[in-house]
Amino acid sequence: MGCCHHYFANTPDGDGAFVADPARIVFGAGCLAEAGDHARASGMSRVAVFTDRRLRGLPYVETVTRSLAAAGVDCAVYDEVQVEPTDASFRKAARFAAEGRFDGFVSVGGGSVIDTCKAANLYSTHPADFLAYVNAPIGEARPVPGPVKPHIACPTTCGTGSEVTGVAVFDLVERHLKTGISSRFLKPVLALVDPVVAASLPATVVAASGFDALSHALEAYTAKPYTRRPRPADATLRPVYQGANPWSDAIALEALRSIGAHLVRAVRDAGDVEARTEMMYAGTLAGIAFGSSGCHIPHGMSYAVAGQVRDYRAPEYPQDKSMVPHGMAVILNAPSVYRWTAPGCPDRHLDAAQRLGADARGAAPGDAGEVVAGRIIEMMQATLFPSGLASVGFGDADVTALSEGAFAQQRLLTNSPRPVGREDLSGMFRAAMHYW
């Protein structure tokens, strides 16, 4: 049962089972050119290809569309996906999907593209009011009523993991926060992970997506165990985010080992093919891990940061609007969070830190939070990342609003290894303002 098997000890009202739902993945150089074969095998004849305008100008979309055409699959390209999508951009994409009467979907891009494609597929297949499927308490959290159309995801970044999860995340603009939709039905039927795409990624994008993957794996491994999650009245209603379990543990630990060894290299040198290939694989592994276990506080806090950004524009990202890229919003909170969560499972925090490359020799349980936080900060410094929330425009005056925004993310916060309240969040936000 992996490290700390006692972590999964049965509890009186907790669940006694977890779901292992393996993703179907094709990984390897050149596999994007196989999209047509896989689409045809999935029964697709008319496909919507989702991407964004920047990617439309790179060769990857053309590789996919040519493959589809060669396989006799008709396609229409939707290139109006917004980086860090909003409720409005999800709605616009859903209208395109509904009007096109497609029998399948292919996404070529990062998490924004893949998530937009998931949402368009959902609302065109099972029409409903927009907030119907959105996670509570922000939306109604209505269960997706059944399967959606087949979706092949082709990731072009190394860290979101969206290609192997049933989660679609967006900004709810009027409420200045991020939220999402979760359902196993949303998971793509296939991920085509071609590491060749990583060579064209700017350093800041590699860092942000890589840190997102790091925290996916670390949150999955340190999440509350599945045995402390209430047993569902209906076995088919086990949540997508189940809590840490032996399946997610094994995958998360391997992702952490690889990220610790390769992230800094991949950021510093676009020509380091080994490091960028390993990061593409590690990002997918981390996606599988958190797709089973779930994320917790760092992601919950990140949604408030992303929703309340004012003037920050990240280097090497689109400059047409203020934005803290998702992986950056996550990792800027992470050291503060892990210092706070460590007492909930110190041995897991120490184990994770060692997988990331920290020297934990002689560390006691009480040192766990500082060891893992120190290793993350070391990696942030090595990749020239911002030194805390203050570096992206926040200050102590923002703490109350940030805490309220994060507290709304109960789907994530309840997965924490320690119960977390508003005051706890406030303390973590304050501590995340400056790390060096």
Side-chain angles (χ1 to χ4, degrees):
M1 298 286 278
C3 172
C4 327
H5 65 273
H6 63 274
Y7 199 59
F8 302 124
N10 291 333
T11 58
D13 298 316
D15 205 348
F18 62 91
V19 178
D21 188 15
R24 185 166 170 246
I25 301 162
V26 176
F27 183 95
C31 70
L32 286 185
E34 301 176 2
D37 293 340
H38 293 293
R40 184 180 56 208
S42 296
M44 302 182 192
S45 60
R46 176 166 167 74
V47 170
V49 177
F50 276 66
T51 190
D52 63 40
R53 287 178 180 166
R54 183 190 66 84
L55 284 164
R56 183 75 180 269
L58 297 176
Y60 314 126
V61 175
E62 184 179 0
T63 297
V64 168
T65 56
R66 281 186 176 180
S67 179
L68 292 167
V73 179
D74 181 36
C75 71
V77 177
Y78 181 82
D79 65 0
E80 298 183 45
V81 170
Q82 181 173 315
V83 177
E84 302 294 333
T86 66
D87 51 321
S89 70
F90 267 18
R91 292 173 197 260
K92 184 176 181 181
R95 286 195 296 271
F96 171 84
E99 292 166 2
R101 300 183 180 277
F102 303 103
D103 60 14
F105 293 81
V106 176
S107 54
V108 185
S112 296
V113 171
I114 298 171
D115 285 2
T116 299
C117 190
K118 291 175 184 175
N121 190 357
L122 169 61
Y123 287 102
S124 62
T125 306
H126 302 294
D129 292 338
F130 184 74
L131 290 177
Y133 302 122
V134 173
N135 298 320
I138 296 158
E140 298 175 35
R142 190 183 305 174
V144 173
V148 296
K149 297 179 177 70
H151 169 196
I152 296 174
C154 307
T156 60
T157 58
C158 49
T160 71
S162 186
E163 68 273 13
V164 289
T165 73
V167 179
V169 176
F170 65 96
D171 286 319
L172 188 58
V173 174
E174 66 178 15
R175 294 191 57 179
H176 302 287
L177 53 79
K178 253 184 165 51
T179 185
I181 304 165
S182 300
S183 171
R184 289 190 174 89
F185 288 124
L186 296 189
K187 188 164 77 171
V189 297
L190 176 68
L192 295 181
V193 186
D194 189 337
V196 171
V197 305
S200 64
L201 294 174
T204 307
V205 175
V206 175
S209 58
F211 278 124
D212 191 23
L214 186 160
S215 211
H216 285 156
L218 190 46
E219 289 174 66
Y221 190 58
T222 58
K224 180 172 68 177
Y226 74 95
T227 50
R228 284 167 47 197
R229 172 179 44 76
R231 184 181 295 108
D234 182 332
T236 66
L237 297 179
R238 284 193 176 94
V240 173
Y241 284 4
Q242 306 173 86
N245 59 77
W247 163 255
S248 60
D249 278 3
I251 301 166
L253 288 172
E254 175 56 22
L256 288 169
R257 182 204 61 77
S258 184
I259 292 166
H262 298 106
L263 174 56
V264 174
R265 283 173 51 188
V267 173
R268 288 179 170 177
D269 183 3
D272 189 335
V273 175
E274 179 188 38
R276 291 205 167 191
T277 297
E278 290 289 338
M279 284 304 301
M280 287 292 291
Y281 188 57
T284 296
L285 289 180
I288 295 170
F290 93 84
S292 173
S293 174
C295 294
H296 57 82
I297 300 175
H299 270 73
M301 291 173 68
S302 80
Y303 291 171
V305 170
Q308 296 178 36
V309 61
R310 289 187 288 271
D311 301 318
Y312 183 75
R313 287 167 171 79
E316 301 177 305
Y317 275 85
Q319 300 295 298
D320 57 337
K321 66 172 185 175
S322 299
M323 179 181 68
V324 180
H326 173 62
M328 185 180 290
V330 170
I331 210 66
L332 290 180
N333 296 301
S336 170
V337 172
Y338 294 120
R339 285 169 171 149
W340 186 86
T341 56
C345 49
D347 41 7
R348 285 183 165 245
H349 283 68
L350 284 173
D351 189 28
Q354 290 177 297
R355 300 290 177 134
L356 283 172
D359 183 357
R361 288 173 297 182
D367 302 322
E370 194 56 47
V371 172
V372 71
R375 176 57 179 152
I376 294 171
I377 291 169
E378 181 181 80
M379 294 173 74
M380 291 168 66
Q381 291 173 322
T383 54
L384 305 180
F385 236 47
S387 59
L389 293 177
S391 296
V392 297
F394 292 95
D396 287 345
D398 300 306
V399 165
T400 298
L402 288 169
S403 300
E404 286 301 315
F407 192 71
Q409 308 297 330
Q410 288 297 310
R411 178 182 65 95
L412 298 168
L413 299 186
T414 55
N415 214 27
S416 165
R418 296 178 64 190
V420 56
R422 286 182 175 87
E423 289 304 311
D424 301 315
L425 291 168
S426 295
M428 284 182 266
F429 275 121
R430 288 192 186 93
M433 290 295 167
H434 302 275
Y435 293 120
W436 66 86

